[in-house]
Amino acid sequence: MPLDRNGSAATENGVYQNGHTVHENGHTTHSNTQDFRFHSLGERGIKSVGSLLEQSLIIVSNRLPVSVKKAESGKLDIYPSVGGLATGLSSYTKNAENKWIGWPGIPSNDLSEEERRHISDELQKYNCYPVFLSQDQLNDFYNGYSNSILWPLFHDLPVTQEADDLRDRYWNAYQQVNHLFLEVILALSGTDSSVWVHDYQLMMLPAMLRSARPLENIGFFLHIPFPAAENFATNLKWGSDLVAGLLGADLVGFHVQSYLTNFLDVVEQYGMGSVDRENTRINLVDRMVQVADFPIGIDYKRYFQASKDPAVQHELFKLRNKYQGRKVILTVDRLDPSKGLVERAAAYQTLLKDNPSFRGKIVLVMLVVPSRTEIEAYKNLKIRLEALVGEINREYGTKNWIPVHYMYKSLPFERLNALYQLADVAFIVPLRDGMNLVAKEYLASKPNKDGVLVLSKTAGAAEELSDAVIVDPARSETLVNGLVKALRMPPQEFRRRADSMRKQIESSDIHNWATNFISALNLASDSPENGSPTVGLTKRQAAKLRSRFESAKSQLVFLDYDCVISPLIQIQDAESIDKFVAELNSLLKELSVSTDVVVVTGQTQSTLEEKFGNLDVTLVAEHGIFERLPGKKKWRSFRSADWQPKILVHLNKFAELTPGSEVETKDCSLVWHYENASAYDAQKHLLEIKRVITPLANVWKLDLIQGNMTLEIRPKGRCKGSTAKELVGRNSYDFVLVVGDDQEDESLFADWPDEAYTVKVGHGRTGARLRVFRPEEVLSLLRKFISSGNIFAVSA
Ligand code: GDG
């Protein structure tokens, strides 16, 4: 992994050092985002935010917000970061239902089996789950394809010959690691979750996930720029694969409008779907991908309030003494070719050359944070930059004045914030930057508004911070002129500018950014373009259902019991659940007097019998393998379970190796439950189990069904849908209501004739005609049928 000399770990978006996270991602509300939510999608945006957390959220990024370092003593140091992204998502990640999946920052070669397990257990306390990567994988996937091919290309920089020569190997590693992330997601989450994938290292993942789970809510956010179509298509060999990877998502987010437009251009150029520019959507054959801009913001409060922190005040006092009234020009960046550091130093050199009056009165403080230190281009950049800084200091420095104060390290937050407060000018002129958070942090840290921001027009931040002194990094004279303008700007003017930009930063912080993205993801996945009803059952729909029910001669109600009980188990105590089941039982009892009722479940016959055994309804257990017809006591079985002992031997062995996991033996299926096991053991053995069992499953014609921390093995072919088809074959109904919630129910919805009223319970893409969000709504729907007093009722 990219550990540099002083032990800092370079990340794709930042750097961690000595227990401090250097990188701070963050976010915002922007006019376009607002349009997207409240104009084109109307009120639904607001509704979705309220019900946002009903579905679990899986966040996936190359790096976890918790890092692991190994001390020389061999002790593992595990520390969470306080980065912007982690802060913005903290309201989601505190909930144990939600998970963050990523690389923990240490190559797996450096770790024993025992250490990996320990790391995994420790990370789980933060709801974080590691993807372990070897040094070779990190070299080729991270340093190679991600940072030596994609990073420069997306920042309009040249790819080195060396990287170009190795790109086939790098590409293989990129795909392989994306697939590894997929495996971890599949092992650790169920189909009822939303997955939010971050950044350029994981661009293949949305499509991989889509093919494994067609109905998943998948979001992707790119933290770096998206290049213009001609650059992308001409220079990127597997560009179309990467775009196809992104199109696996329901929502693809960028920082700013121009990246979004570039992306749509590329999609159009590859002919990968029909691009609807007005609604910023891509219509594919079977679904739609929403594209939107979500300019990332910062944890505004943290920066704004820092000036009151005594530790920050102490640092500021020391810095004031150090710089003795000289005007301070500040740069803060990772050492990265995209940041234009040599160009900045050169502009400062020209400023001193052309304006002797500034000599001795100003100082350039360059905080340069080590990053991706194993990559040759980064090593060379360091040599060039330090040579130039040395040259400036030799050329203009005096006994009492060093023109450039260069620091190659990461500072603690308090020191950095004191620097922000001290600096008269922030000289933020990257060649290209997705957003650039330093620009926002600088302004937010200045309660007295006494600073000037000089900003590149090629940083995403320039789209929001138009009151900065905007310069063009491609024209060095604008950098010099910008500095002069900033240094001479009258206080009244810089205060006015800083004030207006600070308001913008405050109103669109990292929390808004996260919430906006997630609510837009829900809207995109539940959209009518994906065939899904977007809102819960309206009064009008409920009334229509009731009247259709009343006028029907023969009705069928087909209810998936799991869809009403599973959400309750997550949020309610046993007593309330019993009450709910008792009420459902009594409603079904009344209903079954005049209506055919079928209750299906993935659970066992005994569970169904215990809850509904007293009813005169059809009971279907274990996903259709067992059926008990109304009025009968005996169950019909559709498969022999001869295969079970053969598979059970293996499952038991793995269950023993995975403490906390257990095997449930159902009459006709086996389920390995691993939600209470250590994630490390579970993941490791899940792969092993699949490897061992798959050949046997082929012989016995069994399916391996991956659930939420479960693996079920059951006979192929018999499912809820088979029961449905048989029922329709046996009787003719003129009113059918089907209530379900999971992937299997989707095929069930499709199996019924179009006239059937199919109802999806909960969020997510669905082929159902109607939607309700909560189990209680199912009860109230059934209640309507009973009070309707159907007079034509014919019981089968
Ligand atoms: C990528 C995109 C996009 C820096 N030095 C120290 C320190 N930092 C923190 C800053 C800031 C972060 O690192 C750098 O963020 P940037 O946005 O400026 O740049 P990238 O690392 O390139 O981030 C970028 C971002 O992702 C978010 O989407 O804006 O365009 O390239 O938060 O404060 N923090 C501490 N000590 C330092 O010495 N504590």
Side-chain angles (χ1 to χ4, degrees):
M1 92 140 250
L3 272 185
D4 75 67
R5 258 182 251 141
N6 38 11
S8 60
T11 74
E12 67 287 6
N13 282 333
V15 175
Y16 297 84
Q17 188 175 34
N18 306 331
H20 298 284
T21 304
V22 173
H23 169 88
E24 317 228 343
N25 280 346
H27 155 59
T28 182
T29 309
H30 176 261
S31 55
N32 288 309
T33 312
Q34 293 280 12
D35 286 350
F36 168 67
R37 290 181 55 214
F38 302 116
H39 292 214
S40 63
L41 296 163
E43 287 242 310
R44 291 184 277 119
I46 301 161
K47 281 197 184 110
S48 280
V49 180
S51 45
L52 215 57
L53 287 174
E54 282 171 21
Q55 251 190 335
S56 60
L57 176 67
I58 311 294
I59 299 157
V60 191
S61 61
N62 176 54
R63 278 296 293 265
L64 282 172
V66 179
S67 273
V68 179
K69 245 173 47 178
K70 202 173 195 176
E72 274 183 14
S73 63
K75 188 175 165 283
L76 287 171
D77 189 11
I78 297 176
Y79 50 93
S81 83
V82 286
L85 190 60
T87 309
L89 295 171
S90 58
S91 53
Y92 306 99
T93 49
K94 274 182 201 145
N95 179 347
E97 287 298 312
N98 303 328
K99 296 182 172 127
W100 195 321
I101 293 171
W103 179 56
I106 185 163
S108 53
N109 319 43
D110 293 357
L111 302 166
S112 67
E113 170 90 20
E114 208 29 63
E115 286 172 323
R116 284 187 223 182
R117 181 173 293 112
H118 172 69
I119 289 172
S120 187
D121 290 350
E122 287 301 305
L123 291 179
Q124 210 165 328
K125 296 177 184 160
Y126 302 94
N127 299 327
C128 286
Y129 294 80
V131 179
F132 287 108
L133 301 176
S134 69
Q135 187 62 62
D136 282 350
Q137 284 169 327
L138 289 163
N139 288 344
D140 289 354
F141 148 77
Y142 180 74
N143 288 326
Y145 200 75
S146 301
N147 288 324
S148 298
I149 306 268
L150 291 180
W151 179 274
L153 229 139
F154 279 47
H155 286 86
D156 299 338
L157 296 168
V159 169
T160 63
Q161 190 56 50
E162 189 203 2
D164 203 42
D165 291 345
L166 291 171
R167 73 185 166 165
D168 290 17
R169 194 177 94 193
Y170 288 169
W171 170 241
N172 285 340
Y174 185 83
Q175 293 177 93
Q176 193 194 79
V177 171
N178 273 246
H179 200 265
L180 221 73
F181 273 76
L182 172 73
E183 280 178 355
V184 179
I185 298 172
L186 295 183
L188 297 179
S189 63
T191 49
D192 57 345
S193 42
S194 291
V195 181
W196 185 1
V197 182
H198 289 263
D199 231 358
Y200 62 101
Q201 304 89 349
L202 300 173
M203 287 167 71
M204 299 299 286
L205 191 50
M208 290 177 173
L209 191 53
R210 175 71 58 210
S211 76
R213 290 188 180 159
L215 297 172
E216 196 94 304
N217 288 2
I218 305 170
F220 179 92
F221 186 81
L222 186 72
H223 288 264
I224 63 174
F226 195 90
E230 59 275 17
N231 186 9
F232 189 91
T234 321
N235 297 320
L236 195 54
K237 188 170 167 197
W238 292 282
S240 59
D241 298 68
L242 292 169
V243 172
L246 293 182
L247 292 179
D250 294 296
L251 173 67
V252 180
F254 299 95
H255 282 307
V256 295
Q257 186 74 39
S258 54
Y259 308 159
L260 183 160
T261 309
N262 289 347
F263 178 65
L264 295 181
D265 292 346
V266 166
V267 172
E268 211 156 50
Q269 195 162 327
Y270 286 133
M272 284 182 156
S274 130
V275 174
D276 169 357
R277 290 197 183 252
E278 201 182 321
N279 296 303
T280 63
R281 283 172 184 177
I282 299 149
N283 295 310
L284 305 175
V285 176
D286 55 344
R287 55 191 191 86
M288 163 300 270
V289 181
Q290 182 75 55
V291 184
D293 58 329
F294 303 89
I296 201 163
I298 59 167
D299 184 4
Y300 177 81
K301 263 200 198 133
R302 179 165 184 242
Y303 286 90
F304 187 68
Q305 287 168 353
S307 63
K308 295 188 202 116
D309 178 348
V312 175
Q313 285 168 355
H314 178 66
E315 290 296 338
L316 185 58
F317 175 78
K318 287 199 293 191
L319 286 172
R320 285 212 168 104
N321 271 346
K322 184 170 175 183
Y323 294 114
Q324 295 172 350
R326 291 192 170 103
K327 283 208 167 184
V328 172
I329 303 167
L330 177 67
T331 75
V332 178
D333 308 83
R334 284 183 304 102
L335 183 76
D336 193 287
S338 66
K339 302 288 181 184
L341 288 164
V342 172
E343 291 75 359
R344 282 188 230 190
Y348 181 69
Q349 187 179 33
T350 310
L351 175 87
L352 293 179
K353 181 166 125 280
D354 296 349
N355 301 273
S357 61
F358 283 131
R359 294 182 201 161
K361 298 198 183 91
I362 58 177
V363 58
L364 174 65
V365 177
M366 293 192 96
L367 173 57
V368 177
V369 181
S371 179
R372 303 172 194 166
T373 49
E374 292 175 353
I375 302 178
E376 215 51 42
Y378 287 68
K379 288 182 191 162
N380 294 338
L381 175 64
K382 181 167 185 277
I383 295 170
R384 280 171 55 219
L385 177 63
E386 290 178 357
L388 181 56
V389 168
E391 184 184 309
I392 300 170
N393 283 344
R394 274 194 305 279
E395 201 173 345
Y396 296 104
T398 64
K399 210 159 63 166
N400 303 319
W401 177 57
I402 303 169
V404 185
H405 280 207
Y406 174 83
M407 292 176 271
Y408 179 65
K409 61 179 169 187
S410 157
L411 296 181
F413 175 80
E414 293 72 21
R415 193 87 196 280
L416 174 64
N417 200 269
L419 267 176
Y420 283 153
Q421 288 185 55
L422 178 82
D424 300 277
V425 177
F427 191 34
I428 313 292
V429 289
L431 300 179
R432 253 213 170 275
D433 217 330
M435 173 55 70
N436 195 296
L437 298 179
V438 172
K440 295 185 173 185
E441 291 164 8
Y442 171 71
L443 292 166
S445 304
K446 292 218 158 265
N448 302 326
K449 306 156 211 157
D450 50 355
V452 187
L453 173 64
V454 180
L455 182 63
S456 284
K457 67 174 196 178
T458 44
E463 289 202 14
E464 288 172 281
L465 306 178
S466 52
D467 270 317
V469 174
I470 302 287
V471 297
D472 179 358
R475 291 170 49 224
S476 61
E477 74 280 10
T478 68
L479 268 54
V480 183
N481 294 343
L483 275 181
V484 174
K485 184 172 176 181
L487 289 165
R488 297 202 170 127
M489 191 178 281
Q492 211 184 359
E493 183 176 349
F494 62 63
R495 290 202 176 118
R496 178 191 57 75
R497 288 176 181 240
D499 202 27
S500 104
M501 292 189 282
R502 208 160 46 79
K503 282 190 187 124
Q504 162 68 23
I505 297 168
E506 183 179 10
S507 69
S508 52
D509 71 356
I510 183 72
H511 302 284
N512 295 339
W513 175 77
T515 312
N516 285 350
F517 187 91
I518 292 170
S519 56
L521 174 58
N522 272 348
L523 294 179
S525 334
D526 294 357
S527 75
E529 288 75 10
N530 286 327
S532 305
T534 50
V535 289
L537 197 66
T538 60
K539 275 194 183 146
R540 208 161 58 91
Q541 286 169 332
K544 191 169 167 204
L545 268 181
R546 182 183 154 137
S547 97
R548 290 298 314 275
F549 179 86
E550 275 175 357
S551 58
K553 292 195 173 127
S554 153
Q555 311 103 321
L556 172 69
V557 170
F558 192 100
L559 172 71
D560 176 1
Y561 172 63
D562 303 329
C563 81
V564 290
I565 205 66
S566 313
L568 291 181
I569 289 170
Q570 288 172 20
I571 50 166
Q572 288 194 2
D573 54 46
E575 202 181 316
S576 322
I577 293 175
D578 286 349
K579 225 171 115 195
F580 180 93
V581 174
E583 174 150 16
L584 179 61
N585 184 303
S586 95
L587 282 171
L588 293 178
K589 191 172 185 178
E590 275 193 67
L591 196 63
S592 61
V593 172
S594 56
T595 302
D596 278 1
V597 175
V598 181
V599 183
V600 296
T601 180
Q603 302 182 49
T604 59
Q605 305 157 70
S606 55
T607 310
L608 267 193
E609 242 166 15
E610 183 198 324
K611 315 279 182 209
F612 307 107
N614 62 324
L615 302 182
D616 207 13
V617 303
T618 302
L619 299 178
V620 180
E622 296 198 25
H623 301 281
I625 287 165
F626 294 98
E627 186 180 274
R628 198 194 83 171
L629 295 172
K632 304 271 188 247
K633 283 282 165 243
K634 278 190 82 176
W635 288 81
R636 295 200 300 166
S637 163
F638 289 88
R639 286 274 183 250
S640 95
D642 296 348
W643 55 273
Q644 276 186 323
K646 311 263 188 311
I647 303 272
L648 192 60
V649 176
H650 295 286
L651 283 186
N652 282 339
K653 193 182 92 197
F654 283 110
E656 238 173 72
L657 291 171
T658 319
S661 77
E662 52 190 357
V663 181
E664 182 189 4
T665 306
K666 294 185 181 179
D667 284 325
C668 211
S669 68
L670 295 170
V671 189
W672 186 51
H673 293 265
Y674 54 89
E675 62 269 29
N676 296 324
S678 109
Y680 180 78
D681 289 334
Q683 247 172 271
K684 184 173 159 211
H685 294 140
L686 180 68
L687 293 179
E688 290 272 297
I689 289 178
K690 284 186 179 167
R691 196 178 50 75
V692 172
I693 288 181
T694 303
L696 295 172
N698 290 340
V699 172
W700 290 93
K701 299 203 171 26
L702 305 171
D703 269 333
L704 268 58
I705 315 276
Q706 179 74 64
N708 193 1
M709 311 292 271
T710 59
L711 179 72
E712 176 160 15
I713 297 110
R714 68 176 199 232
K716 266 187 205 297
R718 181 79 197 168
C719 60
K720 295 171 194 169
S722 329
T723 312
K725 278 189 202 127
E726 282 165 24
L727 277 167
V728 175
R730 267 184 240 149
N731 306 290
S732 72
Y733 297 102
D734 49 8
F735 177 94
V736 174
L737 179 81
V738 185
V739 186
D741 73 332
D742 61 15
Q743 273 208 45
E744 198 180 315
D745 291 327
E746 288 302 322
S747 58
L748 174 65
F749 293 149
D751 279 339
W752 291 97
D754 288 349
E755 302 76 51
Y757 290 98
T758 46
V759 182
K760 155 104 180 170
V761 183
H763 282 288
R765 180 179 293 109
T766 179
R769 287 172 72 184
L770 303 165
R771 186 194 295 277
V772 296
F773 288 102
R774 294 174 319 113
E776 291 79 1
E777 293 173 69
V778 176
L779 291 192
S780 78
L781 185 61
L782 296 178
R783 225 174 271 127
K784 282 199 169 61
F785 296 152
I786 287 160
S787 57
S788 78
N790 180 291
I791 45 163
F792 300 112
V794 181
S795 183

